[in-house]
Amino acid sequence: MYKHAFDSYMSHAFPADELRPLSCDGRLRRERGDLDAMLGNYSMTLIDSLDSLVIFKRKTAFKVAVSYIDDNVHFGKDLEVSTFEVNIRILGGLLSGHLHAQKILPKYTGGLLDKALDLGERLMRAFDTPTGMPRSRVNLAKGIPKGSSATVTIAEAGSFLLEFGMLSHLSGQDRFYKAAKRSLLAFWGRRNILDLVGTSIDVNTGNFVDQQSTTGPGQDSFFEYLLKGYILFHDLELLEIFLSAYASVELYHSFEGFTYNVDMNKGLMANTHLSPLACVWASLQVLVGDVSSGLRSVLYWYGLWKKHDALPEVFDTRAESPTQARDSPLRPELIEAIFYLSLALPGDSMIFDMAKNIAAAIDDQSRVNCGFASVADVTTKRLDDRMDSFFLSETLVYLYLALAPPEDLAHAMPWPVGASIFTTEGHLFPIFPKASDSTHLSATTDERNKDLYPAASLDSPLLTCEALTPFERVAVQQRCRTKYLLTPSYQMQMNAETSRRCRSQTVFLLVWSAGDTLQPVMHVSGLASSLGRPVPVLPLLHAQLQDCSHKEG
């Protein structure tokens, strides 16, 4: 499948940004509004596919691609583009491609990093706003376009941490990471008492424009970058924000296996619409260690997928059907969650079968002579003249990694899966032991971490607790609260779940640091239950010891 998709792009579309699989040519004009906002005649699909070429063992094609991009791709264009999409697709692709080239191409001299630094400088101009949050559009040659909208989604404002952080790490210039984090803190500091934020915000005033909260379009990758940013850059402040956001999503957004849109001020369900982008939540549940909840979410989403062997862009669970947005652009989010489950539950035949069935359905429905075409209508299987670059960089990658035998998986990437992070566009970044001291990024995060948690040792391994996970309190409360089901949709895949018990015993845990002198590090409270498997006790859900000295450990 990958060979057919990539070779079709190279044969029929290259050097255009995207392939039109039904027309058998490249997309040369902007004709679809926002869908084309990332196009810029810089061979976007080739850049987006760099690390996937390595994963699929096409190293000769990777070498040729690196050489072509180094010699021919330039970004000094008088062109207005999507700041967010260019960041995740092109900047992320260049950085990951550079890291892979350093690893496997002996004569590589760093040209992709030079391109990435040039592009990063151009994207930085979008952050020149009163709040520090970026404009959604930037002119690559001139900066912020005159008269451009001041409204940006939370996903757009909060999804630069990985790419800008890696650019800081590799270039030694910490200003990129600082700009990305400042943007995130700008809107998170305006959250309400429920720890919820709206979907879009004004970068000039800091006022929320859309007060609907979601885990789907407009906010999805914000949550993702909090957790992955902590893992990649050892920034405990990001983890603290993530855990607060996680608890609020589980409390207000979650109902059975789905996360719904809610009113940010009331915490009440706004509608019964679901977007496949919201399935990113299942990946985060697994990645943070709440495997049972992640499995449950995946089972619900897979049940939804089975209705049409595809996920429509919007599905209404109350009406039991897709809305007018019936297209399925071959998105990767459900497959990514299945991939994480395959790591957490290795050898599980049900997870393997889910990935195999999705791969077979895509091959059956979408394969055409010139690549793979998105589904324009899941109810009729009519196809669309569209093959997004993420189909190569994410969808096929996660399918392969979920299905590959362990021995193949071990040799598929330059770095082990457990020592890597995938960006929201599927680009692979290795987890370094610590950010380079020359970038001052390490000093910046370490200083903030010590301010937050002075007694915690970041160099010592995190402890685990068999009876407690940080998220069981909200998970058990949610489960006990929803004892009845509203529509048949909520009953999907229920027969695949094991029985669960709601137990109300409260647990207070004192964690002590190891060493010659025992020192109390944190105080964690939670709910004992049978949910989930043991996960690390993270040094975040704690109160200062002096504030809880009246409680017994």
Side-chain angles (χ1 to χ4, degrees):
M1 291 172 70
Y2 185 87
K3 181 180 188 304
H4 180 60
F6 182 79
D7 289 353
S8 293
Y9 165 74
M10 296 300 295
S11 298
H12 303 290
F14 176 79
D17 287 324
E18 284 185 345
L19 168 68
R20 298 200 303 170
L22 300 182
S23 302
C24 290
D25 59 13
R27 191 174 302 281
L28 300 176
R29 296 185 303 274
R30 291 186 172 190
E31 54 194 10
R32 302 177 300 169
D34 287 344
L35 280 178
D36 291 334
M38 75 288 291
L39 302 183
N41 194 28
Y42 27 49
S43 302
M44 180 179 68
T45 294
L46 183 65
I47 296 174
D48 213 0
S49 303
L50 281 173
D51 45 5
S52 66
L53 287 169
V54 177
I55 291 173
F56 281 95
K57 304 178 178 63
R58 302 195 59 162
K59 294 185 179 179
T60 299
F62 174 77
K63 181 179 179 180
V64 172
V66 169
S67 177
Y68 174 84
I69 294 167
D70 197 5
D71 294 338
N72 297 281
V73 172
H74 305 283
F75 299 108
K77 301 172 181 287
D78 186 3
L79 181 68
E80 184 178 323
V81 298
S82 165
T83 315
F84 166 76
E85 293 289 354
V86 169
N87 171 64
I88 64 171
R89 298 192 192 212
I90 300 180
L91 182 59
L94 291 171
L95 291 169
S96 184
H98 165 74
L99 291 165
H100 284 76
Q102 280 187 315
K103 191 84 170 177
I104 65 176
L105 299 181
K107 296 182 180 180
Y108 173 69
T109 58
L112 295 186
L113 179 58
D114 295 336
K115 301 286 183 185
L117 188 57
D118 174 63
L119 180 58
E121 295 282 5
R122 299 176 188 280
L123 295 180
M124 274 282 283
R125 300 172 183 174
F127 290 79
D128 185 17
T129 63
T131 60
M133 292 182 285
R135 298 264 180 166
S136 63
R137 298 290 184 268
V138 66
N139 186 296
L140 291 174
K142 300 178 180 178
I144 297 177
K146 291 183 179 180
S148 64
S149 172
T151 301
V152 66
T153 68
I154 297 307
E156 291 174 316
S159 302
F160 287 83
L161 284 166
L162 297 189
E163 292 83 7
F164 273 33
M166 186 56 70
L167 186 58
S168 285
H169 174 85
L170 295 173
S171 69
Q173 302 180 38
D174 63 341
R175 56 196 178 89
F176 294 104
Y177 184 76
K178 286 182 176 180
K181 189 170 179 182
R182 180 193 173 197
S183 172
L184 183 148
L185 295 177
F187 67 76
W188 182 248
R190 292 170 169 84
R191 68 193 184 280
N192 62 17
I193 195 172
L194 305 179
D195 279 342
L196 297 175
V197 294
T199 300
S200 56
I201 195 168
D202 189 303
V203 299
N204 292 326
T205 65
N207 296 326
F208 287 107
V209 177
D210 183 341
Q211 300 197 357
Q212 183 171 272
S213 181
T214 180
T215 60
Q219 286 186 232
D220 51 333
S221 52
F222 152 62
F223 299 106
E224 182 182 3
Y225 273 35
L226 286 173
L227 181 58
K228 292 182 176 180
Y230 156 70
I231 295 171
L232 194 59
F233 301 118
H234 316 282
D235 191 337
L236 285 171
E237 189 172 16
L238 298 180
L239 183 59
E240 184 173 42
I241 297 172
F242 174 78
L243 293 181
S244 298
Y246 190 105
S248 292
V249 169
E250 291 293 328
L251 189 58
Y252 298 110
H253 288 267
S254 296
F255 186 89
E256 295 301 329
F258 296 126
T259 50
Y260 287 93
N261 302 335
V262 302
D263 183 295
M264 66 170 286
N265 296 309
K266 301 176 182 177
L268 300 177
M269 187 184 294
N271 54 56
T272 53
H273 294 173
L274 293 172
S275 163
L277 289 172
C279 196
V280 70
W281 197 252
S283 293
L284 298 180
Q285 288 173 315
V286 179
L287 188 59
V288 83
D290 195 1
V291 178
S292 62
S293 294
L295 174 61
R296 186 164 176 260
S297 296
V298 166
L299 290 172
Y300 268 76
W301 278 104
Y302 184 67
L304 196 60
W305 177 88
K306 287 173 64 177
K307 284 180 172 289
H308 301 287
D309 284 349
L311 285 177
E313 281 293 81
V314 183
F315 187 90
D316 188 342
T317 57
R318 187 175 295 278
E320 296 285 330
S321 65
T323 65
Q324 291 182 342
R326 297 182 176 184
D327 57 312
S328 177
L330 307 179
R331 293 197 183 277
E333 282 74 21
L334 173 58
I335 305 166
E336 181 182 7
I338 292 173
F339 159 64
Y340 281 118
L341 276 178
S342 73
L343 298 180
L345 303 171
D348 189 289
S349 60
M350 179 180 64
I351 296 169
F352 182 88
D353 287 343
M354 285 192 287
K356 184 180 68 173
N357 293 340
I358 292 174
I362 292 175
D363 201 36
D364 179 59
Q365 295 176 13
S366 294
R367 182 189 283 265
V368 293
N369 289 335
C370 300
F372 287 83
S374 298
V375 179
D377 188 330
V378 298
T379 62
T380 64
K381 303 305 180 186
R382 178 172 58 88
L383 297 179
D384 193 1
D385 202 7
R386 170 183 180 185
M387 190 181 88
D388 290 83
S389 62
F390 59 68
F391 182 69
L392 286 163
S393 68
E394 294 185 85
T395 306
L396 291 177
V397 168
Y398 290 130
L399 273 175
Y400 169 63
L401 295 180
L403 293 167
E407 58 272 17
D408 285 6
L409 192 60
H411 296 94
M413 296 176 289
W415 305 279
V417 175
S420 312
I421 281 293
F422 286 97
T423 71
T424 194
E425 189 67 14
H427 298 306
L428 194 66
F429 290 166
I431 301 172
F432 298 103
K434 237 181 188 180
S436 172
D437 291 336
S438 63
T439 68
H440 305 292
L441 187 56
S442 176
T444 301
T445 56
D446 281 357
E447 182 177 347
R448 180 59 178 149
N449 293 340
K450 290 176 182 178
D451 289 342
L452 288 168
Y453 315 108
S457 171
L458 301 182
D459 297 324
S460 60
L462 296 176
L463 304 178
T464 60
C465 173
E466 295 290 337
L468 178 74
T469 76
F471 314 112
E472 286 188 346
R473 184 205 315 258
V474 290
V476 172
Q477 288 177 347
Q478 181 69 22
R479 185 62 182 166
C480 293
R481 193 170 71 234
T482 58
K483 292 182 178 179
Y484 58 91
L485 309 178
L486 294 180
T487 71
S489 282
Y490 295 114
Q491 300 177 35
M492 290 185 298
Q493 301 298 323
M494 286 298 290
N495 59 345
E497 293 195 52
T498 58
S499 60
R500 303 183 180 199
R501 294 174 296 158
C502 298
R503 297 165 56 188
S504 60
Q505 299 93 323
T506 300
V507 175
F508 294 100
L509 179 70
L510 279 177
V511 179
W512 299 77
S513 62
D516 296 335
T517 305
L518 290 179
Q519 295 184 8
V521 176
M522 70 194 86
H523 181 277
V524 186
S525 64
L527 194 68
S529 80
S530 58
L531 295 182
R533 68 178 197 175
V535 299
V537 176
L538 303 171
L540 268 296
L541 295 183
H542 80 293
Q544 293 295 331
L545 187 61
Q546 57 268 30
D547 294 335
C548 58
S549 58
H550 63 283
K551 299 178 182 178
E552 295 182 0

